[in-house]
Amino acid sequence: MQKILFATSEVYPLIKTGGLADVAASLPRALLKLGQDVKILLPAYASVMEKAKSIGVKEVAQFEIEGYSISLKQTRLPGTKVTVWLVDIPEFFEREGNPYCGPDGNDWFDNHKRFYVFARVAELIALDQLGLIWQPTIVHCNDWQTGLIPALLSLHPNHPATVFTIHNLAYRGLFSYQAFAELNLPPVFWHHERLEFYGQMSFIKGGLAFADFITTVSPSYANEIQRPEFGNGLDGLIRYRSDAVAGILNGVDTDEWNPGTDPHLACNYNRRTLGNKTKNKLALQEELGLAVSSEIPLLGFVGRLVDQKGVDLILEQMNQLLTLNCQLVILGSGFPHYEKALKNIAEQYPQKVAVTLGYNESFAHRIEASSDIFLMPSIFEPCGLNQLYSLRYGTLPVVHAVGGLRDTVFEQTLESESVEANGFVFHGATAGELFAAIQRAISIFKQKDRWKQLQLNAMSKDFSWDASAKEYLAIYEQIVSA
């Protein structure tokens, strides 16, 4: 049995800004199911403390790091038996807003200190220096916010093995040399083979340079980030470490995302009762003021309205899309110019386009269940979870062939007749290719038997965490025994 300290900056349902939170909730649960001893380490943001109160919180340690008074509190991940340790540093985490930026949308000025001290707490737990009578054999770190943990542990001869997972390499945790100087890090870390990155400090390099093993969230993304176009300046380092890099596809929470039991839906359904899916569509069309008809294909999009998600491609082909007999429903928030452009289109075409800004978990579930086609034209996509939710809900995805999208969605073509098709794939990041893929989808939507077969193919695939958790466990065992 491995003892795993799982360090993360967010975990659903306590705090979520993106897919990391879903992974941080599901993977520890799957590892616990495999008989492992897992504890999640999470900053005690104000909103997290509020939610944790209803479950119960107790203090397990009180200590100081470099003048900061810190309290380590223990709770549980709601609805599970997974222990969560909350790092309570009031001056760092007791503030309103997003975990990483303030209400004005700008990064918190002290993010380097906040996540440095969080890393120091992980270091003390890993070395069994807080009197918890529990020492991990593995410290599993996630994204730049935890990147300093493997670097700090490298300073100790007998430290636990470390795994670093890249959820999105675009976020590198970049800070100035001045910020580096403010942290009590060894000067030797200021080197291009360690934390220095073109004159700045990169937190993510701590994980990439010092972790015993690096994983990312799909096999294709693991290959892509070793190339300049996806490597964000770090491809050379990742190629250098390629013997210790693996892509493990994210799973989904099959309890949370199950059309047969989902409490958010107007009507539950499964593969045997697929006809009931249409009732969700009709209910959503009515709710949003769209023309109500089962025959009009409904396209859905749920995600951040940012460049990465291919919003430009959606906007560029919008005039062509509006000439088709279809509808589009969008849920998301992001760059103001995208929000404004989409809102304007929805106001001009209220019976065809509905745009809801912000994020609402229940509404996201209803869009997944109600849509016939799900758009994911991401420019890059480490894994992607929405296409997996869509497949599970019999909502056929239209995707750009990158990262985890390439690994999970397949379209049957003359060259790939043996492929078990479950969606539609385009290969060039252009509006023209996206529109052509949407046209192919709508054409097959009209062929009811063929469409239903694609839906059954999609819904029959197992994207649970069971297989992926076993792959992580194999890596843990490999590096612990090395």
Side-chain angles (χ1 to χ4, degrees):
M1 179 182 73
Q2 301 298 338
K3 293 182 175 179
I4 304 151
L5 182 67
F6 194 91
T8 179
S9 59
E10 52 186 85
V11 56
Y12 179 80
L14 294 174
I15 181 82
K16 173 176 174 174
T17 72
L20 167 60
D22 294 314
V23 176
S26 302
L27 177 54
R29 280 170 63 189
L31 290 165
L32 192 70
K33 213 162 99 179
L34 291 173
Q36 309 308 302
D37 182 357
V38 193
K39 300 190 193 305
I40 296 172
L41 189 69
L42 178 74
Y45 310 111
S47 57
V48 166
M49 292 303 292
E50 196 56 43
K51 286 179 183 168
K53 276 180 197 166
S54 60
I55 310 154
V57 180
K58 66 175 181 180
E59 186 174 84
V60 291
Q62 214 173 9
F63 51 98
E64 267 197 19
I65 291 177
E66 296 180 19
Y68 295 105
S69 295
I70 300 168
S71 168
L72 190 67
K73 296 185 162 71
Q74 181 172 310
T75 185
R76 268 184 311 102
L77 192 61
T80 78
K81 294 178 178 174
V82 179
T83 297
V84 180
W85 280 337
L86 301 171
V87 178
D88 191 9
I89 315 170
E91 56 259 64
F92 284 158
F93 299 125
E94 201 174 280
R95 49 179 82 164
E96 294 305 313
N98 177 292
Y100 320 120
C101 54
D104 61 0
N106 293 319
D107 287 356
W108 293 113
F109 69 96
D110 56 354
N111 271 350
H112 60 300
K113 287 185 184 171
R114 298 168 79 222
F115 292 107
Y116 162 71
V117 178
F118 179 68
R120 288 292 318 277
V121 175
E123 176 191 22
L124 294 181
I125 295 171
L127 299 171
D128 197 17
Q129 292 181 0
L130 291 183
L132 299 171
I133 322 169
W134 185 88
Q135 183 172 21
T137 52
I138 292 282
V139 181
H140 189 149
C141 307
N142 296 272
D143 269 356
W144 74 262
Q145 297 88 348
T146 63
L148 291 186
I149 298 170
L152 291 168
L153 287 175
S154 75
L155 302 170
H156 306 278
N158 299 310
H159 63 79
T162 53
V163 172
F164 185 76
T165 297
I166 306 164
H167 297 264
N168 192 336
L169 193 61
Y171 299 101
R172 295 164 295 185
L174 296 179
F175 300 95
S176 65
Y177 175 75
Q178 174 63 36
F180 175 83
E182 287 174 16
L183 306 180
N184 193 21
L185 291 167
V188 71
F189 279 178
W190 189 259
H191 186 278
H192 67 89
E193 291 178 359
R194 299 183 184 95
L195 301 185
E196 189 268 337
F197 181 78
Y198 298 102
Q200 293 182 287
M201 166 176 58
S202 167
F203 270 47
I204 207 168
K205 277 191 79 175
L208 301 180
F210 290 99
D212 294 304
F213 206 95
I214 299 163
T215 70
T216 190
V217 289
S218 71
S220 285
Y221 192 60
N223 293 325
E224 288 170 355
I225 58 175
Q226 296 182 51
R227 305 201 308 260
E229 60 266 39
F230 292 104
N232 293 281
L234 294 162
D235 49 289
L237 173 56
I238 299 167
R239 280 196 304 276
Y240 176 73
R241 299 226 47 208
S242 60
D243 288 350
V245 176
I248 300 175
L249 194 67
N250 279 342
V252 298
D253 184 329
T254 52
D255 295 326
E256 182 78 19
W257 292 93
N258 180 351
T261 57
D262 192 331
H264 304 294
L265 307 192
C267 184
N268 291 113
Y269 63 95
N270 56 35
R271 278 178 287 176
R272 290 181 301 283
T273 57
L274 194 47
N276 287 338
K277 178 174 165 60
T278 308
K279 295 176 184 175
N280 292 288
K281 174 177 167 176
L282 298 174
L284 191 71
Q285 286 171 325
E286 189 166 348
E287 178 189 339
L288 297 176
L290 301 171
V292 178
S293 167
S294 62
E295 297 304 310
I296 301 174
L298 178 63
L299 282 62
F301 174 95
V302 177
R304 288 177 293 122
L305 302 177
V306 296
D307 306 17
Q308 180 207 331
K309 298 298 180 181
V311 183
D312 283 317
L313 304 187
I314 292 174
L315 288 169
E316 282 170 33
Q317 57 84 63
M318 189 67 80
N319 287 338
Q320 291 167 286
L321 186 67
L322 291 167
T323 65
L324 303 180
N325 183 30
C326 68
Q327 298 168 337
L328 174 62
V329 56
I330 287 176
L331 169 66
S333 62
F335 294 157
H337 63 284
Y338 289 144
E339 293 184 355
K340 187 178 177 189
L342 290 166
K343 266 297 191 191
N344 287 343
I345 293 162
E347 283 165 14
Q348 288 174 54
Y349 300 90
Q351 287 219 306
K352 293 195 80 165
V353 180
V355 173
T356 303
L357 299 179
Y359 185 74
N360 178 307
E361 189 79 14
S362 175
F363 192 37
H365 281 245
R366 284 184 289 135
I367 290 174
E368 287 288 7
S370 306
S371 301
D372 301 297
I373 297 163
F374 194 88
L375 300 185
M376 277 191 84
S378 306
I379 306 304
F380 68 94
E381 193 61 71
C383 175
L385 291 171
N386 278 103
Q387 88 279 12
L388 301 181
Y389 303 151
S390 299
L391 293 169
R392 200 157 159 70
Y393 281 58
T395 299
L396 302 186
V398 169
V399 305
H400 181 208
V402 288
L405 303 178
R406 178 196 290 274
D407 293 333
T408 52
V409 180
F410 308 99
E411 179 172 4
Q412 204 162 56
T413 62
L414 291 173
E415 300 84 50
S416 63
E417 286 183 10
S418 61
V419 161
E420 190 176 81
N422 59 8
F424 304 88
V425 181
F426 64 99
H427 294 270
T430 68
E433 288 222 22
L434 167 61
F435 182 65
I438 291 171
Q439 284 181 301
R440 294 197 299 277
I442 289 174
S443 168
I444 294 179
F445 174 77
K446 294 169 185 170
Q447 304 169 43
K448 296 301 178 193
D449 289 348
R450 203 170 157 200
W451 187 261
K452 185 176 182 182
Q453 187 55 56
L454 291 179
Q455 288 181 299
L456 293 172
N457 290 352
M459 295 176 81
S460 64
K461 203 86 186 325
D462 177 12
F463 288 115
S464 70
W465 269 103
D466 297 349
S468 299
K470 286 174 185 164
E471 288 187 60
Y472 277 106
L473 190 52
I475 288 170
Y476 296 161
E477 287 169 350
Q478 173 193 325
I479 60 177
V480 164
S481 59

